[in-house]
Amino acid sequence: MLTRLAIRDVVLIEALDLDFGPGLATLTGETGAGKSILLDALGLALGARAETGLVRSGAAQASVAASFDLPADHPALAILEEGGLESEPGEPLVIRRQLRADGGSRAFVNDQPASAGLLRALGGTLVEIHGQHDDRGLLNPRGHRALLDAFARSQTGAVLAAHARWKASEEALAQAQAEIESAARDQEWLEHAVAELTKAAPEPGEEASLAEARADMQKGARLAEELSAVSTHLDGSDGALAQLRQATRRLDRIAAEDERLAEALASLDRALVEAGEAEDLLAAAGNAFAFDPTRLETIETRLFDLRALARKHRVEPDDLAALTQELSARLERIEAGGAGIAALAREVKLAREEYVEAAGALSAARTAAAARLDAAVASELAPLKLDSARFRTVVETLPEGQWGPAGRDRVEFEISTNPGAPFAPMMKIASGGELSRFILALKVALAEEGGAGTMIFDEVDRGVGGAVASAIGERLARLAGATQLLVVTHSPQVAARADRHWLIEKRSDGLVARTGVHVLDEAQRREEIARMLSGAEITDEARAQADRLLAA
C-alpha cells in the first residue's frame, strides 16, 4: 500500500507531501489544475521515462519519493533480493527518483542506488495505473492467463511439476543419444584404449610411489660406491682400525713409564671405541642402501610405461584409473545402448502423457472459469453504460511447441463494443472512456485477484454522468474494500463515495503558477462536490444535492 508521496519541483509543483491510507481516495479539481502531474510524478518514481519537461522551470532538479508498506510475502521483496538490494523486515519500502534539468537521472531503493529497470519491475507489483492510454496490467494479454487462474483458484503446481519431469526426461534421452552416437564413432579406438588401460591396471598414487622407490635405489647405488671406498680404508690387516689397534697394544706396554703415555693410551682407547661404533654404523648404512638391480629395472619400466600412457591420453598419471572406468563405461553404453535408449524413450512418453493429463485438467478448469468470468463481467456492463458491449475470455490450445510449465493454453480477454461487431483485444477497439469502464468492470469481477496493492483510475468516469456515474462510484467503493484505490475524477457521484478527498488547485501570483493539493474536511468536501455539480457559481440547490450524495 502506498503510504506517502513526496514531490519536489515537478512541473508546477514546488513542494508537496501527501499521506495515504487504505480504502477509496479521490482527487478532484478544475480542468488544468494539474491532476495529471501527480500521476506523472508517481510514474517517475516507478521507473517511467525521465522527461526533462517534468523539472519545474528554474529548478536544478526534480525529485519524487514514494513509500510503501508491504506484507512479508510481497513479490516486490523477491525482486529486491534478486537485484541484490537489502530490505529490513517490517520497514517501509522507499523508492526515490531524481531528475536533473540537463536530463540525467538517478534512482534509489531504500537509499541504495538502483536502475530505472528495477524501479519498473517493482512498480509492476506495487501500483496499477489504469487510464486512457494505459497498455499494461489488464490490457496486456501476457498477464491474462495468470489472472484467469487466480480467478479460478486453479492448482497449477501439478502442471508445473509434470512439465519439469517431461523436459528432464527429454533432456536425459537426448543426452544419452548424443553420447551413444559420439561413442559409436570411436568404438574401435575405445576397445583398444580400454584393453590397453585394463592390462596396465594403473592405480591412483602408483606413479608417485614408484618414482620415490626409484629415487631411493638410485641414491643407494651412488652411496654404495663411496661406502665401499671408506670400508677399504678402515677394514683389513692394513686398514686404519688394524693399525690403530696395533698402535694401542704397543703403547700399552710402555704406558706405565710416564703419565703422559698413560693419557695417550686412554685417548687411543676412546678412539678405538668411536671407530668401532663408526664401523657398525657404516655397515648398517651399507645394508640399508643395498638394492637389487633387477628390482630397479622393473620399477623403472613400470614407471616409464605409466608416464607414457598418461602422455598418450593427455591426463595425469594418477587420473589413469578414473580414465579406465570412464572409457569402460562409454564402451558399455555402446554395447547396451539400444536397451537404455528404449527405456529412456518410454520415460519420455510416460512423462508427456502425465503432462497432457494435468494440462488437460487445467484447461478444463480455465474454460469453466472463463464462462463464470464472462458472466460476471457481463453483469457489470449495463450499469456502466456498456449494455451494447460484450466481453469474452478466449481459451485456446497452443501448438505443442509452445506448451510450457503454465499449461498449453493461450488466454486473452476480448470485447465487442457494438452489436454484430467482431471481438478484438480490448485496447484496440475501445475508446478512452469505454476502456476505463471495461477495466473497472473486469477488476470488479476479478475482485482482488492478481492486483497490486495500490490501484489508480484516471478519469474512469469520463463522458458519463447520472446513474452511470453513481454505478461507477458504487463499484469503485466495492473494489476499494479489497485494495487501496486512488481515483482522479470529475464526477460528484464518485467523489462522494471516497474515504478521503483531495482537492488539486493551481494558483498564480501573476508571475509563477503553482499546483497544490490539500485534504478536504467535511465542509470543504461539501463545497467541492457542490462546485462539481453546479460549475463556477455554487448554488444552495447544489449544496443540498451534495448533502444527499454524501449522505447516500
Side-chain angles (χ1 to χ4, degrees):
M1 181 180 73
L2 177 65
T3 57
R4 185 173 178 82
L5 185 64
I7 304 173
R8 298 291 183 272
D9 295 319
V10 175
V11 192
L12 299 179
I13 299 176
E14 187 172 1
L16 184 63
D17 295 285
L18 297 176
D19 293 313
F20 298 86
L24 174 60
T26 56
L27 296 91
T28 65
E30 296 181 353
T31 301
K35 295 185 290 296
S36 64
I37 299 176
L38 287 178
L39 300 186
D40 290 341
L42 180 58
L44 182 66
L46 298 178
R49 184 176 178 182
E51 300 282 356
T52 56
L54 291 174
V55 181
R56 187 173 64 87
S57 178
Q61 72 173 21
S63 67
V64 182
S67 299
F68 297 86
D69 279 342
L70 306 178
D73 59 348
H74 197 282
L77 300 179
I79 294 174
L80 286 181
E81 183 177 356
E82 185 178 345
L85 299 183
E86 297 178 356
S87 60
E88 293 294 332
E91 292 296 317
L93 173 67
V94 181
I95 299 176
R96 184 162 51 93
R97 187 93 179 271
Q98 296 175 341
L99 172 61
R100 296 195 305 271
D102 62 8
S105 71
R106 294 195 300 167
F108 303 88
V109 177
N110 291 342
D111 288 329
Q112 302 166 90
S115 67
L118 179 64
L119 263 57
R120 285 191 292 272
L122 289 172
T125 67
L126 297 169
V127 178
E128 286 184 25
I129 302 177
H130 299 296
Q132 295 184 59
H133 306 294
D134 181 46
D135 60 354
R136 298 166 297 172
L138 296 179
L139 300 186
N140 189 341
R142 278 187 262 181
H144 292 177
R145 184 169 59 191
L147 288 170
L148 181 62
D149 286 340
F151 176 78
R153 300 290 198 272
S154 298
Q155 300 299 317
T156 58
V159 176
L160 178 66
H163 183 268
R165 287 193 296 271
W166 179 24
K167 293 306 170 184
S169 63
E170 284 188 333
E171 184 177 342
L173 174 60
Q175 182 177 352
Q177 289 174 328
E179 286 182 356
I180 288 175
E181 290 173 2
S182 174
R185 290 191 295 268
D186 301 327
Q187 184 171 1
E188 184 178 347
W189 176 84
L190 275 173
E191 290 173 345
H192 171 75
V194 169
E196 183 181 43
L197 288 167
T198 302
K199 181 179 179 181
E203 296 180 1
E206 184 180 6
E207 189 263 354
S209 176
L210 291 172
E212 182 179 357
R214 175 174 177 261
D216 287 344
M217 287 187 176
Q218 288 176 331
K219 182 170 106 174
R222 186 179 65 254
L223 294 179
E225 295 178 2
E226 297 296 329
L227 287 176
S228 178
V230 171
S231 297
T232 300
H233 291 294
L234 291 177
D235 297 337
S237 57
D238 294 329
L241 282 174
Q243 295 292 329
L244 186 62
R245 290 189 185 98
Q246 185 176 359
T248 302
R249 285 195 296 271
R250 287 182 176 274
L251 184 60
D252 183 54
R253 289 197 293 267
I254 61 173
E257 300 296 331
D258 189 282
E259 182 179 348
R260 286 170 297 185
L261 295 177
E263 289 178 359
L265 179 61
S267 296
L268 285 176
D269 287 336
R270 288 194 298 273
L272 276 173
V273 171
E274 292 289 339
E277 291 178 355
E279 185 179 30
D280 293 339
L281 289 173
L282 288 172
N287 292 331
F289 292 139
F291 72 96
D292 181 357
T294 303
R295 171 63 177 160
L296 175 60
E297 183 180 354
T298 301
I299 287 175
E300 287 184 334
T301 300
R302 176 65 172 173
L303 179 62
F304 297 156
D305 287 346
L306 287 178
R307 289 175 175 174
L309 270 177
R311 287 194 300 272
K312 179 177 180 179
H313 293 284
R314 298 180 181 180
V315 296
E316 293 297 322
D318 279 352
D319 296 331
L320 286 171
L323 179 65
T324 304
Q325 294 178 354
E326 179 187 340
L327 297 183
S328 298
R330 285 177 60 185
L331 193 57
E332 289 173 5
R333 283 198 293 271
I334 293 175
E335 296 167 351
I341 291 296
L344 288 173
R346 287 193 295 271
E347 290 181 15
V348 171
K349 183 175 181 294
L350 179 61
R352 182 187 180 280
E353 290 172 352
E354 291 176 351
Y355 172 81
V356 169
E357 182 179 356
L362 180 58
S363 297
R366 284 170 174 163
T367 301
R372 297 197 306 273
L373 179 60
D374 292 352
V377 174
S379 67
E380 299 290 338
L381 296 180
L384 297 175
K385 202 178 178 180
L386 294 169
D387 41 339
S388 297
R390 293 174 297 156
F391 172 89
R392 74 177 183 184
T393 305
V394 177
V395 181
E396 292 182 343
T397 301
L398 294 165
E400 183 168 340
Q402 298 179 34
W403 294 359
R408 55 182 186 176
D409 305 311
R410 181 186 76 86
V411 177
E412 185 170 1
F413 302 144
E414 294 183 344
I415 61 172
S416 168
T417 54
N418 297 299
F423 281 92
M426 294 170 63
M427 64 187 299
K428 290 188 177 180
I429 64 174
S431 65
E434 286 177 329
L435 185 57
S436 294
R437 280 177 279 145
F438 262 114
I439 291 173
L440 176 59
L442 187 53
K443 286 303 297 186
V444 171
L446 290 168
E448 61 184 352
E449 308 302 341
T454 300
M455 203 177 309
I456 298 174
F457 280 91
D458 184 12
E459 299 186 2
V460 66
D461 49 10
R462 174 182 288 269
V464 300
V468 177
S470 294
I472 292 174
E474 187 274 330
R475 281 154 179 77
L476 288 170
R478 193 195 319 168
L479 189 57
T483 187
Q484 182 188 49
L485 203 60
L486 308 179
V487 180
V488 176
T489 180
H490 291 288
S491 170
Q493 291 91 338
V494 173
R497 290 275 187 173
D499 299 304
R500 264 170 304 308
H501 189 158
W502 280 290
L503 176 64
I504 303 176
E505 294 181 297
K506 182 167 68 174
R507 297 178 180 175
S508 174
D509 58 8
L511 297 175
V512 178
R514 294 181 176 85
T515 290
V517 181
H518 62 274
V519 180
L520 301 182
D521 59 26
E522 287 302 315
Q524 292 170 330
R525 190 176 178 194
R526 174 176 179 257
E527 285 295 296
E528 172 61 9
I529 293 176
R531 181 199 65 76
M532 297 171 72
L533 286 164
S534 63
E537 183 179 350
I538 302 176
T539 64
D540 290 338
E541 182 180 352
R543 292 188 176 95
Q545 179 64 16
D547 287 335
R548 286 191 289 272
L549 287 175
L550 289 168

